[in-house]
Amino acid sequence: VQLTESGGGLVQAGGSLRLSCAASTQTFSSYDMGWFRQPPGKEREFVATINWSGGRTYYADSVKGRFTISRDNRKDTVYLQMDSLKPEDTAVYYCAAGVGVTTMRDEYEYWGQGTQVTVSS
């Protein structure tokens, strides 16, 4: 499974971005998906996860109420809508695929290359 993120960029604080992650597999709907991020000089951290059908989602406290994860199984794509962005959201954002709705990085089997999000103050 290959995952390709897009949609990152530079945005001012308070702005919005929508990240996309396209999967190169015909079994996309069998995977639970997650978004993680790695701020400069820090460990990769959990952001959000969504189950295979899109019926279950879970967010890190730091993004709850501002970010929304969703998926379109017809397009083999998962999204992360990011609103009310803050400078502390600056990071490389990664999507990941696995089996199981989890916040644990090691539980995901496949990873994308990441997309940079920079939020200016």
Side-chain angles (χ1 to χ4, degrees), residues 3-70:
L3 303 174
T4 305
E5 302 96 336
S6 61
L10 174 63
V11 63
Q12 289 188 333
S16 297
L17 281 175
R18 188 196 196 200
L19 305 184
S20 298
C21 171
S24 65
T25 176
Q26 294 182 345
T27 59
F28 176 73
S29 61
S30 66
Y31 289 98
D32 302 303
M33 301 296 295
W35 284 97
F36 288 74
R37 67 186 182 186
Q38 188 163 12
K42 297 184 179 181
E43 294 289 318
R44 194 172 299 187
E45 63 185 23
F46 168 76
V47 175
T49 184
I50 188 167
N51 78 325
W52 66 272
S53 70
R56 288 177 58 199
T57 59
Y58 186 75
Y59 298 91
D61 288 343
S62 59
V63 306
K64 199 172 297 182
R66 300 188 298 122
F67 290 11
T68 303
I69 188 171
S70 62

Side-chain angles (χ1 to χ4, degrees), residues 3 5 21 34-48 60 62-63 80 88-97 102-116:
L3 303 174
E5 302 96 336
C21 171
W35 284 97
F36 288 74
R37 67 186 182 186
Q38 188 163 12
K42 297 184 179 181
E43 294 289 318
R44 194 172 299 187
E45 63 185 23
F46 168 76
V47 175
S62 59
V63 306
L80 185 68
E88 52 263 44
D89 294 318
T90 295
V92 178
Y93 283 72
Y94 299 88
C95 69
T102 176
T103 66
M104 304 301 292
R105 186 176 59 193
D106 292 345
E107 296 295 315
Y108 289 87
E109 186 173 1
Y110 303 101
W111 291 84
Q113 293 299 307
T115 185
Q116 176 71 46

